[in-house]
Amino acid sequence: MTAAGAIGAIDRQALIEQAAAARQRAYAPYSRMTVGAALLCGDGRIFCGCNIENAAFAPSLCAERVAFAQAIAAGCREFRAIAVSGGPAGQPSGGAAEFAPCGVCRQMMAEFCADDFVILVGGAGSGEFTLAELLPHKFGPEQLG
Ligand code: THU
């Protein structure tokens, strides 16, 4: 199945809107890059996250991992898609500011998501990838037998 066919248009639009709303709740006084994420679970629930920075820098959390933490703590273990919305504070997501999830977040996805997990980036969902595309040859739970 291609990424484009993996989730419906309604799910896609809901995820993009909720990621943008979550972005408004970002705590990013140091980088001033605000990010929101909306994660679609196997049971249809959506959990959101925003980036949360820290004066000590290292404890900072990306929006994607906050969304996964919320979902996992609520009992979800199956995931279908995530939308990520972000960029410099006060500027719209996408365009020149478009980015894909960082490597640490991709590894978090590798722990819980199948290769066909969908990743929407660019604010309006202009970029659409599968986890296999963003993290080929992943190291995951299957490597530990
Ligand atoms: N950030 C995210 O929340 N998600 C990403 O995929 C990339 C980066 C955050 C972390 C940090 O608070 C800020 O963006 C700048 O790196």
Side-chain angles (χ1 to χ4, degrees), residues 28 31 33 35 51-53 60-64 84 99-102 105:
S31 74
M33 175 167 171
V35 186
N51 55 332
I52 305 170
E53 297 185 345
S60 297
L61 295 167
C62 290
E64 296 93 320
V84 185
F99 62 92
C102 81
C105 290

Side-chain angles (χ1 to χ4, degrees), residues 28-81:
Y30 307 109
S31 74
R32 301 198 178 283
M33 175 167 171
T34 56
V35 186
L39 175 63
L40 177 63
C41 299
D43 64 8
R45 284 187 287 172
I46 294 175
F47 290 87
C48 294
C50 60
N51 55 332
I52 305 170
E53 297 185 345
N54 188 281
F57 289 11
S60 297
L61 295 167
C62 290
E64 296 93 320
R65 280 177 289 135
V66 172
F68 270 96
Q70 297 257 44
I72 291 161
C76 294
R77 289 294 184 276
E78 291 181 11
F79 302 102
R80 293 166 55 196

